[in-house]
């Protein structure tokens, strides 16, 4: 039986508004807001990488909870933008924290990563393999964004969120996940290979997407998967106090809420202020909601991440903080 016992986030200081892009590409503030809802995002500094943001999110978790993490026995970093492919980002966080005897692994599931991380932590703890697991979603997407591609560069931001998962009264009520690898070529980052599913791709080490296809897939599938998850937990939509989807784009989030006939004021988001921060977007949205008097102890919170794969992962938790 497992639960989230501490939570923390971090976003870099540098605020980038939409006017920043007007000097780079043919776009404007009004277009970006109307198509994405994004007003600002944060960019990491030169020399500031994903493990640095992850470390700061864990520091925030420690400060806000007073939790000792010296005996954490597993760290999982969910990211699409590790400092480098090897060593993994989790090992860099372990080094910065100075924790001993800690297993380290990264989850590479794009915007679904954080929820996959929670699923993994739940499995580790409930099987008795580990007792204290740090799940971190951290991204420096600004470093892998093609600043000449106006259909994608406006979307992404940097940030991190961390959750400590420990044994306790069961807080996780259900999980689900699924993947459409047949759409893998619609959202990718390739260092070498120049095709996916036989479709030519650009191995430019930057995020490339077919925005319309991803949009259509998310809006068509995620509401169905949310209903399936609620059923799996033996609940009804009325039991769900908050739905926290990946903050990809405000229009996607609004379309998901509309399709479910679910009120938008019960759908915390981080995209308007922080852009699409991939695996960090759900924890940042949760923290923002908590600070604004939204999510509180006892609430039933559904999280669902979705993105490159194309893959999704969902969970329902009884929030305990
Ligand atoms: N500024 C101004 N115009 C832009 C632009 C920009 N930054 N980006 C694209 N356009 C133009 C297009 O070139 C197109 O022009 P055209 O009609 O002359 O060809 C027009 O705007 C409409 O483009 P379209 O692609 O239909 O826009 P859209 O409404 O689908 O919005 C996205 C584009 C990328 C914002 C949207 O598809 C999206 O958010 N998709 C999901 C992406 C996502 O969330 N990815 C991560 C998932 S985890």
């Amino acid at each position: 039986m497992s639960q989230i016992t501490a939570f923390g986030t971090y976003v870099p200081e540098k605020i980038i508004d939409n006017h920043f892009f007007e000097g780079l590409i043919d776009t404007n503030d009004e277009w970006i807001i109307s198509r994405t809802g994004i007003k600002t995002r944060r960019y990491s500094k030169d020399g500031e990488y994903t493990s640095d943001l992850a470390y700061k999110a864990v520091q925030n978790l420690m400060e806000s909870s007073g939790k000792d993490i010296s005996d954490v026995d597993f760290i999982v970093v969910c990211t699409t933008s590790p400092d480098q492919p090897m060593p993994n980002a989790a090992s860099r966080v372990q080094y910065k924290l100075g924790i001993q005897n800690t297993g380290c692994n990264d989850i590479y599931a794009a915007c679904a990563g954080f929820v996959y991380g929670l699923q993994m932590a739940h499995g580790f703890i409930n099987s008795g393999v580990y007792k204290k697991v740090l799940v971190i979603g951290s991204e420096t997407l600004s470093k892998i964004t093609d600043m000449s591609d106006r259909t994608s560069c406006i979307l992404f931001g940097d940030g991190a969120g961390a959750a400590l998962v420990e044994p306790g009264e069961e807080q996780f009520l259900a999980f689900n996940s699924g993947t459409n690898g047949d759409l893998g070529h619609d959202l990718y980052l390739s260092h070498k290979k120049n095709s996916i599913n036989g479709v030519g791709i650009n191995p430019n080490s930057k995020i490339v997407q077919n925005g319309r296809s991803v949009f259509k897939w998310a809006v068509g599938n995620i509401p169905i998967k949310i209903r399936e998850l609620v059923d799996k937990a033996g609940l009804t939509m009325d039991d769900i106090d908050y739905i926290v989807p990946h903050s990809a784009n405000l229009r996607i989030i609004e379309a998901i809420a509309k399709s479910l006939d679910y009120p938008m004021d019960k759908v915390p988001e981080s995209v308007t202020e922080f852009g699409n921060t991939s695996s960090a977007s759900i924890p940042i949205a949760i923290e923002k909601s908590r600070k604004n008097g939204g999510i509180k102890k006892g609430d039933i919170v559904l999280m669902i991440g979705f993105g490159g794969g194309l893959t999704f992962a969902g969970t329902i938790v009884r929030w305990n903080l």
Side-chain angles (χ1 to χ4, degrees), residues 55-176:
Y55 172 64
K56 286 186 175 159
V58 177
Q59 281 185 316
N60 179 247
L61 174 151
M62 291 190 284
E63 280 157 20
S64 62
S65 66
K67 280 267 177 191
D68 171 27
I69 57 147
S70 59
D71 56 347
V72 157
D73 43 22
F74 203 86
I75 302 173
V76 52
V77 173
C78 317
T79 187
T80 307
S81 48
D83 304 15
Q84 62 279 308
M86 182 172 70
N88 62 23
S91 300
R92 301 311 301 154
V93 174
Q94 178 275 336
Y95 169 76
K96 288 175 211 295
L97 289 169
I99 299 175
Q100 299 302 312
N101 304 320
T102 305
C104 286
N105 211 329
D106 287 5
I107 287 185
Y108 207 54
C111 313
F114 186 73
V115 180
Y116 272 116
L118 293 178
Q119 296 188 354
M120 199 184 206
H122 170 267
F124 278 152
I125 287 167
N126 283 25
S127 62
V129 172
Y130 297 119
K131 285 205 169 63
K132 216 165 179 179
V133 180
L134 257 182
V135 178
I136 307 165
S138 184
E139 304 284 3
T140 46
L141 298 180
S142 63
K143 293 183 165 53
I144 53 167
T145 294
D146 180 354
M147 291 296 175
S148 66
D149 176 4
R150 69 174 181 164
T151 67
S152 70
C153 70
I154 51 158
L155 295 171
F156 301 114
D158 301 344
L164 186 64
V165 185
E166 295 183 89
E169 194 183 333
E170 189 58 72
Q171 188 191 11
F172 292 95
L173 307 183
F175 294 104
N176 68 352

Side-chain angles (χ1 to χ4, degrees), residues 169-293:
E169 194 183 333
E170 189 58 72
Q171 188 191 11
F172 292 95
L173 307 183
F175 294 104
N176 68 352
S177 62
T179 306
N180 279 96
D182 53 316
L183 298 176
H185 53 276
D186 281 334
L187 183 53
Y188 64 86
L189 181 155
S190 179
H191 299 302
K192 292 184 281 212
K193 207 180 162 206
N194 61 7
S195 73
I196 299 176
N197 300 330
V199 178
I201 62 164
N202 183 358
N204 66 351
S205 300
K206 304 283 182 195
I207 303 170
V208 182
Q209 64 167 3
N210 177 343
R212 277 191 188 184
S213 172
V214 176
F215 197 105
K216 210 173 128 195
W217 173 82
V219 170
N221 286 283
I222 297 305
I224 297 167
K225 300 304 172 188
I226 288 175
R227 284 196 190 281
E228 285 176 7
L229 186 57
V230 172
D231 277 354
K232 212 171 165 184
L235 301 172
T236 69
M237 288 302 292
D238 289 341
D239 297 320
I240 308 297
D241 295 304
Y242 292 93
I243 294 178
V244 192
H246 162 51
S247 269
N249 174 324
L250 193 62
R251 281 166 60 216
I252 293 181
I253 296 175
E254 286 170 347
I256 290 171
K258 193 170 171 210
S259 168
L260 294 166
D261 198 17
Y262 193 83
M264 262 306 281
D265 62 347
K266 294 286 187 180
V267 184
E269 56 84 17
S270 53
V271 72
T272 52
E273 189 177 355
F274 300 108
N276 177 342
T277 53
S278 192
S279 65
S281 88
I282 289 177
I284 293 173
I286 289 175
E287 196 61 0
K288 197 173 162 184
S289 171
R290 292 175 72 205
K291 282 192 177 133
N292 294 337

